[in-house]
Amino acid sequence: MPIANMRDLLREARAQNRAVGAFSVSSIDMITGVVRAAEALNTPVILQVAQVRLPASPLPVIGAAMRAAARDASVPVAVHLDHGMTVDCIRQALDEGFTSVMFDGSHLSMEENIAQTKAVVEMAKPYGAAVEAEIGRVGKTETGAALTAVCADPDEGVRFARETGVDALAVAIGNAHGVYEGAPVLRFDVLEKMYAVCDTPLVLHGGTGISDEDFRRCISLGMNKINIATASFMAVNQAAQGVPEYFEMVKRMSAAAENVARHHIGVFGVRKAEEA
Ligand code: 13P
């Protein structure tokens, strides 16, 4: 089937009060594992790769594999650039046929984040691609480097969504990438305010380490896309330990990525058949 667009997946998820799992991938075994999980649960997913991971998985190579897997899948699968930091990389992803991109301007001032996000939204339009942006700042970078978390401001969020026209808005509510030190404390009050005033589907980054109960509460308060990366990378790495035969190792790595995706899709909500 055609590669899905994140915009459509989020619209459907919002109507069904669930979230779409966005799983970071860096290799063919991970891609196939995530797609198998989506097919088994008959639920759309997003395959994503972050700009910082491209030295390990070059964009044209991983992009081609992600797109091929999405086209082959029996359920809608979107192909997304996570945490795009530079216009060059975002343009390359659009040229490669990614159906959505994230521009991460969370390190910029609000005015500059709005201005640069607007430019990315304009750039993505001729491709028909969806755009995600971030307000506030999620703790830690994608690679686990320290970064002070800044909670999003709902009033600024409404203005940001209106002025930029983004399709999805990542909101920092105390979440962090990588492994949490202690249980995460999410600001549900902030999320509740944001949901009350903002129509744009919201995105939760830093899914690894968040409890199933907190995921469900986030979804009930408007999170329609949830990102999972570290949990998959750790599970795949663990599965590879001590396996003496290469193809057996690849099989186990793929099964590990599948299991992580299956669990999370189950928690985020499976697609309701009558509305599919
Ligand atoms: P984790 O690595 O904490 O799962 O976060 C994933 C993420 O938000 C990718 O952008």
Side-chain angles (χ1 to χ4, degrees):
M1 67 170 64
I3 303 170
N5 188 300
M6 180 175 84
R7 193 183 291 127
D8 301 325
L9 301 192
L10 298 188
R11 194 178 300 130
E12 184 192 60
R14 181 159 270 230
Q16 298 189 354
N17 301 315
R18 57 178 173 79
V20 183
F23 298 96
S24 297
V25 291
S26 65
S27 57
I28 291 176
D29 49 278
M30 294 189 79
I31 293 171
T32 52
V34 171
V35 171
R36 273 198 313 277
E39 289 179 327
L41 296 172
N42 196 26
T43 297
V45 283
I46 297 166
L47 291 173
Q48 63 182 17
V49 62
Q51 181 173 345
V52 287
R53 299 298 179 197
L54 298 179
S57 313
L59 190 58
V61 180
I62 192 82
M66 291 160 78
R67 282 184 291 115
R71 274 195 300 265
D72 265 9
S74 63
V75 290
V77 176
V79 172
H80 176 71
L81 176 73
D82 189 29
H83 289 285
M85 309 301 290
T86 62
V87 168
D88 276 357
C89 181
I90 292 173
R91 190 183 296 283
Q92 202 191 341
L94 292 168
D95 284 338
E96 288 291 338
F98 280 54
T99 49
S100 55
V101 290
M102 177 187 186
F103 169 66
D104 181 354
S106 59
H107 55 291
L108 302 170
S109 68
M110 182 52 65
E111 298 309 319
E112 200 49 38
N113 194 359
I114 288 176
Q116 293 196 24
T117 301
K118 261 165 102 167
V120 170
V121 169
E122 284 309 309
M123 189 167 91
K125 269 187 190 155
Y127 298 86
V131 176
E132 173 184 337
E134 178 174 322
I135 57 158
R137 197 183 306 126
V138 173
K140 288 195 194 162
T141 67
E142 266 289 293
T143 54
L147 199 62
T148 310
V150 178
C151 198
D153 175 333
D155 293 331
E156 285 190 345
V158 182
R159 180 180 159 222
F160 187 93
R162 193 181 52 235
E163 292 190 18
T164 61
V166 287
D167 301 282
L169 189 55
V171 286
I173 54 164
N175 43 326
H177 293 115
V179 177
Y180 288 90
E181 290 143 21
V185 180
L186 301 182
R187 292 285 308 271
F188 293 107
D189 56 325
V190 172
L191 181 55
E192 197 164 4
K193 276 192 202 138
M194 186 76 81
Y195 188 39
V197 290
C198 183
D199 286 342
T200 307
L202 305 176
V203 183
L204 181 68
H205 281 243
T208 300
I210 293 180
S211 69
D212 293 352
E213 192 191 340
D214 280 359
F215 279 138
R216 291 193 186 98
R217 195 159 166 206
C218 283
I219 293 165
S220 75
L221 295 173
M223 289 294 193
N224 292 127
K225 172 178 183 267
I226 301 182
N227 288 5
I228 302 292
T230 305
S232 304
F233 294 132
M234 288 192 314
V236 169
N237 185 30
Q238 181 65 32
Q241 301 300 312
V243 185
E245 202 275 317
Y246 176 76
F247 290 102
E248 177 60 24
M249 179 185 76
V250 169
K251 198 170 117 191
R252 292 192 197 183
M253 289 162 72
S254 190
E258 178 180 351
N259 287 340
V260 171
R262 260 183 192 256
H263 170 76
H264 286 97
I265 295 168
V267 174
F268 301 163
V270 297
R271 191 187 212 188
K272 292 183 188 71
E274 66 272 18
E275 292 180 57

